[in-house]
Amino acid sequence: MKITDAKVFVGGPGKNYVTLKIMTDQGGYGLGDATLNNRETLPAAYLRDYLVPNLIGMDPRNSEDIWQFFYRGAYFRRGPIAMAAFGAIDMALWDIKGKLANMPLYQLFGGKSRDSAMVYAHATGTDLEDLMASITRYVDQGYEAVRVQCGIPGMPGSGYAVPEEKGAKRDYITDFSGVRPKVEIWDSERYMRFMPDALMAIRERFGPDLKILHDVHHRLTPREAAAFAKAVEPARLFWLEDPTPAEDQGALRLLRQHSTVPVAIGEVFNSIWDCQKLIEEELIDFIRVAVTYVGGITHAKRIVELAALHHVRTGFHGAPSHSPICMAAQAHLNVWAPNFGIQEYLVLGTDECDALFPSDHRMERGRFHVSEAPGLGVDFDESQAERYSFQPGSHPVARLEDGTMWNY
């Protein structure tokens, strides 16, 4: 069996999904996701210009050797662009492998450890009252876990993942439109004064069973993060996400010395080497990598298995920048992984997205149920893809009130 061709598509409903389709000489094909949020044309070009020409003629069943060929064969390794491109190739090869075996991918990993995977929704509000209404909406839908973000009194601008208008959007997603980024204003002191009491109010309103998650989004210094984690302990969070910038991994040692709050980190990591020490030293409780960004299923599975040795559970990134192909790959890992924790899930579900990526995967009452179709269980409609083209955009940036650039 040989790879005969591969195509790269960029575009989608509301997102610039980067979709790879690898074809074989036996008529089969596999799909992968290389979407790098707001930098989508870069992994697409890397695939088209450098990687796909090398794929032609390779045996798609040798996914391990192909992964090593691209990773170890490169002089400059890792980084989000390269790993997203490798991730798309690896997903597509696993998809082909599952179709050849006529099995869903989780069977190739060792079968199911659970029937479905718990996911968490994103609740947000301009103020605490608005946030409570958003949480109630998800609880009424059957969600067992909700990430909560809230506007901070006295802080100009919306802050991280908070809408500008009260009650405007219950499924709020940060606006990434436009090449020039929007500016969010940040004030750590105001945040640290307000948020512990807000989280406690949420716990008191919704009781002991709701799993409450909160994302700091790298905004605090190590000392501030340690103080904040200690202050929010009474709210009994399911996890505190990204309390400090991911580059300074030693900062989490200070947090661990002062608090037992579970810590989740990793959505900006690109390899096992980025999180090896955090896992081995047990400085985190959940690893937040995404299958696309860490080079595909082959490498993500290694991270999951390392984490299992050190009591670290999975919490795969699930922002809408990941196409249904990446989310399907993570769904198969989720039902297999013995150390599964939770899956982030922002609603992709538009009719347009379902038409572009048809599948039988389904979400019901806060649980993701994986399809029994062979391979990834997601298809790609090229005729639908013709409706979309690349639309440039950027993440917002964060500044302090005096104009100083801060961590986004």
Side-chain angles (χ1 to χ4, degrees), residues 187-202:
D187 186 316
S188 294
E189 291 184 5
R190 286 194 174 98
Y191 168 80
M192 292 179 67
R193 286 198 300 268
F194 173 78
M195 206 63 211
D197 289 340
L199 291 170
M200 195 62 212
I202 293 168

Side-chain angles (χ1 to χ4, degrees), residues 43 47 54 67 104 112 137 143 145 168 218-221 229 256 264 267 270 272 278 283 294 331 337 357 361 397:
L47 282 164
N54 281 282
W67 197 94
K112 283 185 177 181
R137 177 174 177 266
Y143 281 85
H218 318 113
R219 300 289 173 91
L220 300 179
T221 66
R256 282 294 209 218
E267 67 186 65
N270 304 131
I272 198 169
L278 290 176
L283 297 176
V294 294
F357 298 101
H361 298 299
V397 297

Side-chain angles (χ1 to χ4, degrees), residues 140-160:
D140 290 346
Q141 292 177 35
Y143 281 85
E144 304 166 58
V146 182
R147 191 193 80 167
V148 299
Q149 306 297 127
C150 190
I152 309 301
M155 186 187 294
S158 62
Y160 171 65

Side-chain angles (χ1 to χ4, degrees), residues 265-278:
I265 198 169
E267 67 186 65
V268 298
F269 292 162
N270 304 131
S271 77
I272 198 169
W273 308 111
D274 294 327
C275 54
Q276 178 189 5
K277 294 301 181 184
L278 290 176

